[in-house]
Amino acid sequence: MSATALFGQLLLGLINGSFYAMLSLGLAIIFGLLAIVNAAQGAFYMLGAFIAWMLFQYLGIGYWASFVLAPLAVAIIGMILERTLIRRVYNLDHLYGLLLTLGLFQIIQGMFVHWYGTSGQPYDYPDILTGGHNLGFMFLPTYRAWVVVASLIFCFGTWYAIEKTRLGAYLRAATENPTLVRAFGINVPMLVTLAFGGGVALAGLAGVLAAPIYQVNPLMGGNILTTVFAVVVVGGFGSILGAIVTGLALGVLEGFSKVFYPEASNMVIFAVMIVVLMIKPAGLFGRER
Amino acid sequence: MLEIAGLHGFYGESHVLHGVDLSVRAGEVVTIVGRNGAGKTTTLRAVMGILQKRSGSIRVMGTETIKLPPERVARLGVGYVPEERGIFASLNVTENLMLPPTLAPGGMTTEEIYRLFPNLKDRAKSQGSKLTGGEQQMLAIARVLRTGAKFLLLDEPTEGLAPVIVQQIGRVLETIKERNLTVLLVEQNFRFAARVSDRHYVMESGKIIDAIGRSEIAGKMERLEEYLGV
Amino acid sequence: MALEIGELSASAAKTRGIDWLGLAVGIAILVVAPFLIYPVFLIKLLCMALFACAFNLMIGGGGLLSFGHAAFFGGGAYIAAETAKNFGFPFEFALLAGVASATFLGFLFGVIAIRRQGLFFAMITLALAQAVYFLALRLPFTHSEDGIQAVPRGWLFGVVDLKDNFAMYYVTAAIFLAGYLLVARVWKSPFGQVLRAIKDNQPRMISLGYPVDRYKLMNFVLSAALSGLAGSLKAMGLGLATLTDVDFTTSIAVVLMVLLGGMGTLLGPVVGAIISVSMDDYLAGIGIPVPVVIGVIFVVIILVFRRGIVGEVVHYWRKWQARKPATRA
């Protein structure tokens, strides 16, 4: 096998891994504050890609503007859903949150399948990121390099914002004891809405980044959701950094298996999940709850 | 500063406060004493807005707060030190200290706080989960002093602490009085309360059953001991 | 804070014996139905109802919500179809093979997932089922997108020709009824009572010395086996096993049926299955996207009537019963 193929697959694995990382990072933030596993996370990923595609298709708005607008739109949609529907299940068993967001997932995905069918829509690279560089051992397409860099920046930016800033301190404190944080004069319900918006915006952003690599397909959210769930089970919900590392590592591992044993590439993450569950049921970075 | 009239409070189905009336004037330190389960902590939680099922009237600095959420009550300039201290385990000491937003000008500066609580400075980078009970209590008080809150709700600040630390907290309360802050204190340790308070309310079964001024304490000591079942 | 389940099951457990009148009405309906409604549609409906009962066994009994039950349903369907079509297994052995494979899968899933609860259990079962889906996509005998088609129904015990839709229907109805009664029986058994106690207070049962995980695992495996039976029966009755059977949407569909009818009620899953299968059929005819409707139903149930149809009826009936003596006095 050629080194080019190997590194190409590894790069693609790294890209997928950064999408897993962004989605599971968003899930972890939302889970921390709302104690809800947001099953609609996959739908928000798909929405990010589709909004970018629609902005171009219907309004002629290009990639760079969509890079900002699409995650923002996803965040707004998410926050509206949080305010109107999801908020109502906070005091119920956590499974109801999962079921409710699963319902929302079905609605969102179902509407797009109904309107656009299940065949993908192409979305072009931005001009400035076409082409690539020959690194000697592999050909590096510029856009793919950009995706890796951009997602790493956003992942670690999110980590920094949560661990090192004042807003992040509010978030961590509210995860522990929301009532007391309110008693200090902080509007926690608003914080929760914003965190939900931020968490789904990460998925939306991953969707925009993914749009030119994969086609924009209404089913893309469902496909990634199960994998991301497996990533979350492997990593546990304990730490932000854990979510990022697990996502990236499993993506790369998946890339590797595509080179050596392509038939099993879909299975490898689930296999890892099973092994981890047998050894460390709470996940690699998780705390037993 | 605080006027409570006919306050009723509920935990789920159970009726906990049965018409509490009390008032605290600006600059006073007022203590609520009473046995376990009398409703002292619940009263503070009701004032703070944490207890959501409540009725009657609570006026904080002239504003009716019976329908306000906790964050709005806090914004009026109320600082809350809960019974369980509420130190965030995942935040370090500095982060815990800096967490509550500034509510009004005139709060203590970080230097002033470190002068008052020297051991907090030594432990600035420690995680909240690593502190001793005394340090947690110091930090819980320190962080509301920073915010410029004019009215403090302190829930059993001496509970479970060594006498040396209780003395230290006594000195902190004196500093608080010197700064002319108003305090509503819930306390089981009556000797501590008697030292720092201007007045006392005695609570039993969700009601205020007696009020004792500072000058009357000596004469009413016997009655108080009876109330508290000491 | 708990799931609103088990309302009826608790009382059903108290009443000893079988509700003979209810059973007679049920059998009468099963006997008459194929003269009014197309039997093949009824076969599908009963298979889904049995599947829902199997799923309900787990959530009502153990309080565990699985998102991966399609693996057992579809796994059973594939094995039954394969053994009947290509190994020449007779009807009843094909069913047995399907059930056995689902039981095995259920055991594997259970061993891996049973130590986690709630949200994580749901996510793990979903991920495991997805792994089974990929297997079905890749393995040669499942024929990927085409599935296994034109599965011969064969003869029951070599005597009854199941090519006849009525014969096939009555066999399906009998198996469904047996499955339903089995669930009811398990519920009333000491085993079922231990499961309910675990659901209510797991730490207490552990401290009492019950092997909690083993109880939950047994229940899970039983639920998987019954799901496999439903899937095998469907594969034989409709003559095909496809990727849809192991798909995530099938896992969701069964959650919906049970949620709609009422989690933990005996009759709820049947009611949910009837409504859900009829709705699918109707909606497919007029071109409204089914997933959207399913999603809307999910949202409405969770926000408005979490007990499900049967659960709500029982709840209000109880309330009304409780109030009646007071109004009389």
Side-chain angles (χ1 to χ4, degrees), chain A residues 114-148:
Chain A
H114 187 63
W115 289 330
Y116 296 101
T118 52
S119 57
Q121 315 282 345
Y123 184 80
D124 270 341
Y125 294 84
D127 287 338
I128 196 170
L129 296 177
T130 48
H133 302 275
N134 197 334
L135 302 181
F137 58 90
M138 70 175 289
F139 179 76
L140 178 67
T142 313
Y143 185 78
R144 297 194 170 191
W146 152 250
V147 170
V148 172

Side-chain angles (χ1 to χ4, degrees), chain A residues 91 93 96 99 102 229 270 281, chain C residues 1 4 116 126-127 252 302:
Chain A
N91 294 325
D93 189 293
Y96 284 117
L99 291 170
L102 190 67
F229 273 9
F270 301 109
Chain C
M1 287 290 277
E4 287 164 34
R116 302 305 307 269
L126 169 62
I252 300 300
I302 286 156

Side-chain angles (χ1 to χ4, degrees), chain A residues 9-68:
Chain A
Q9 286 298 349
L10 279 187
L11 179 63
L12 197 60
L14 196 58
I15 287 172
N16 282 332
S18 53
F19 295 157
Y20 301 154
M22 285 167 92
L23 264 73
S24 58
L25 187 55
L27 278 181
I29 294 170
I30 293 169
F31 182 77
L33 267 187
L34 290 69
I36 277 180
V37 172
N38 176 28
Q41 191 76 342
F44 289 113
Y45 168 75
M46 181 270 287
L47 267 183
F50 246 101
I51 289 171
W53 177 83
M54 286 157 84
L55 284 174
F56 181 75
Q57 194 72 14
Y58 301 125
L59 300 172
I61 294 174
Y63 180 85
W64 295 108
S66 290
F67 189 73
V68 178

Side-chain angles (χ1 to χ4, degrees), chain B residues 17-193:
Chain B
L17 299 179
H18 300 267
V20 174
D21 301 282
L22 65 81
S23 66
V24 181
R25 288 186 291 271
E28 273 189 318
V29 174
V30 172
T31 308
I32 307 178
V33 293
R35 295 183 202 191
N36 274 333
K40 307 184 298 285
T41 295
T42 310
T43 306
L44 290 197
R45 290 170 64 89
V47 172
M48 205 59 238
I50 295 170
L51 183 79
Q52 307 243 325
K53 284 178 102 177
R54 67 211 149 122
S55 63
S57 166
I58 302 173
R59 298 178 75 82
V60 178
M61 294 171 228
T63 309
E64 179 57 64
T65 64
I66 197 76
K67 291 208 156 56
L68 294 188
E71 61 268 21
R72 296 277 304 279
V73 178
R75 291 280 169 188
L76 295 171
V78 184
Y80 178 52
V81 179
E83 190 177 9
E84 69 287 353
R85 341 268 200 231
I87 301 304
F88 297 100
S90 60
L91 275 60
N92 66 27
V93 168
T94 313
E95 285 175 323
N96 264 292
L97 187 61
M98 304 311 278
L99 183 81
T102 305
L103 302 171
M108 289 172 92
T109 62
T110 321
E111 290 85 62
E112 284 174 309
I113 283 176
Y114 284 148
R115 216 174 301 138
L116 194 57
F117 305 99
N119 34 353
L120 290 186
K121 190 174 187 179
D122 305 333
R123 310 219 49 180
K125 291 289 166 218
S126 306
Q127 286 301 110
S129 50
K130 301 272 194 293
L131 299 184
T132 65
E135 287 167 336
Q136 287 192 14
Q137 189 63 61
M138 300 291 174
L139 181 53
I141 298 175
R143 73 181 165 191
V144 296
L145 291 177
R146 222 200 86 254
T147 63
K150 295 289 177 275
F151 177 34
L152 307 183
L153 304 173
L154 305 186
D155 199 344
E156 303 223 16
T158 65
E159 190 189 17
L161 298 182
V164 189
I165 315 236
V166 173
Q167 273 185 14
Q168 210 179 338
I169 290 175
R171 281 197 294 280
V172 169
L173 269 168
E174 276 155 23
T175 316
I176 290 173
K177 278 179 86 165
E178 278 163 27
R179 296 183 74 98
N180 217 15
L181 302 180
T182 312
V183 176
L184 180 58
L185 178 71
V186 160
E187 194 49 79
Q188 298 260 27
N189 182 344
F190 187 71
R191 297 216 309 185
F192 176 81

Side-chain angles (χ1 to χ4, degrees), chain A residues 1-258:
Chain A
M1 159 216 340
S2 71
T4 315
L6 173 69
F7 285 107
Q9 286 298 349
L10 279 187
L11 179 63
L12 197 60
L14 196 58
I15 287 172
N16 282 332
S18 53
F19 295 157
Y20 301 154
M22 285 167 92
L23 264 73
S24 58
L25 187 55
L27 278 181
I29 294 170
I30 293 169
F31 182 77
L33 267 187
L34 290 69
I36 277 180
V37 172
N38 176 28
Q41 191 76 342
F44 289 113
Y45 168 75
M46 181 270 287
L47 267 183
F50 246 101
I51 289 171
W53 177 83
M54 286 157 84
L55 284 174
F56 181 75
Q57 194 72 14
Y58 301 125
L59 300 172
I61 294 174
Y63 180 85
W64 295 108
S66 290
F67 189 73
V68 178
L69 291 177
L72 200 64
V74 168
I76 290 170
I77 294 168
M79 289 193 286
I80 291 172
L81 290 174
E82 193 276 334
R83 277 272 146 146
T84 52
L85 300 174
I86 299 169
R87 172 150 297 189
R88 293 162 195 267
V89 300
Y90 289 165
N91 294 325
L92 306 174
D93 189 293
H94 302 333
L95 282 171
Y96 284 117
L98 182 63
L99 291 170
L100 179 68
T101 48
L102 190 67
L104 295 174
F105 170 80
Q106 294 264 328
I107 295 171
I108 297 170
Q109 176 172 295
M111 286 197 302
F112 277 83
V113 169
H114 187 63
W115 289 330
Y116 296 101
T118 52
S119 57
Q121 315 282 345
Y123 184 80
D124 270 341
Y125 294 84
D127 287 338
I128 196 170
L129 296 177
T130 48
H133 302 275
N134 197 334
L135 302 181
F137 58 90
M138 70 175 289
F139 179 76
L140 178 67
T142 313
Y143 185 78
R144 297 194 170 191
W146 152 250
V147 170
V148 172
V149 172
S151 14
L152 286 179
I153 288 173
F154 274 95
C155 281
F156 287 97
T158 308
W159 170 79
Y160 184 85
I162 290 173
E163 296 295 333
K164 303 290 172 201
T165 68
R166 189 171 180 79
L167 187 66
Y170 288 163
L171 218 64
R172 280 178 288 146
T175 300
E176 266 186 61
N177 187 346
T179 314
L180 186 59
V181 174
R182 289 185 79 175
F184 287 149
I186 296 159
N187 190 339
V188 172
M190 180 64 86
L191 193 67
V192 166
T193 306
L194 287 175
F196 192 84
V200 302
L202 278 170
L205 188 68
V208 181
L209 288 170
I213 298 181
Y214 302 108
Q215 293 197 316
V216 177
N217 187 320
L219 296 179
M220 65 197 280
N223 295 337
I224 201 169
L225 181 71
T226 43
T227 310
V228 167
F229 273 9
V231 169
V232 164
V233 172
V234 170
F237 265 141
S239 87
I240 297 295
L241 220 45
I244 300 172
V245 171
T246 313
L248 287 172
L250 288 179
V252 171
L253 190 67
E254 200 181 33
F256 250 120
S257 68
K258 275 200 185 111

